[in-house]
Amino acid sequence: LYVDRDDGDISFRKYFTDDVRLATLNSINLEYKYIKLSRDEDDDIKVAYDYPYWGKNCSTELTNNIRLWYTMLDAMLEKITQRL
């Protein structure tokens, strides 16, 4: 979890080392609007969710953002498990 103190943007990251084809990661990226899967420089799988803060219309409740992150992460990991 990283919070940019200047503008309030929040970044969530999870890394894991399962052997998943890039085509599988790309197909899951097409299914999920807010979460991004990619490979990092060590060839680990990186799951990313960035929550930009745009002012008063955005949720400032950190617990809501954390809950959404884990909900999306669980659903995405289940998709990866199904495709292994």
Side-chain angles (χ1 to χ4, degrees):
L1 170 65
Y2 170 78
V3 178
D4 186 326
R5 292 175 48 172
D6 293 331
D7 62 12
D9 292 352
I10 301 170
S11 297
F12 296 88
R13 300 290 184 267
K14 168 133 179 90
Y15 297 87
F16 57 101
T17 58
D18 291 347
D19 186 22
V20 179
R21 295 179 44 222
L22 189 57
T24 299
L25 298 180
N26 288 336
S27 69
I28 293 171
N29 279 333
L30 292 173
E31 294 177 42
Y32 287 87
K33 188 175 191 174
Y34 302 108
I35 205 162
K36 174 76 173 151
L37 290 107
S38 61
R39 296 266 185 196
D40 70 3
E41 59 278 350
D42 297 326
D43 208 31
D44 296 331
I45 296 171
K46 177 173 76 173
V47 184
Y49 165 57
D50 296 310
Y51 184 86
Y53 179 71
W54 293 319
K56 67 180 182 175
N57 293 329
C58 291
S59 173
T60 57
E61 261 316 301
L62 183 58
T63 55
N64 290 339
N65 294 319
I66 292 171
R67 190 174 303 115
L68 179 60
W69 161 247
Y70 280 110
T71 299
M72 291 187 302
L73 184 62
D74 289 345
M76 186 273 318
L77 291 174
E78 183 176 327
K79 292 272 186 188
I80 286 178
T81 302
Q82 291 171 355
R83 296 176 189 190
L84 288 178

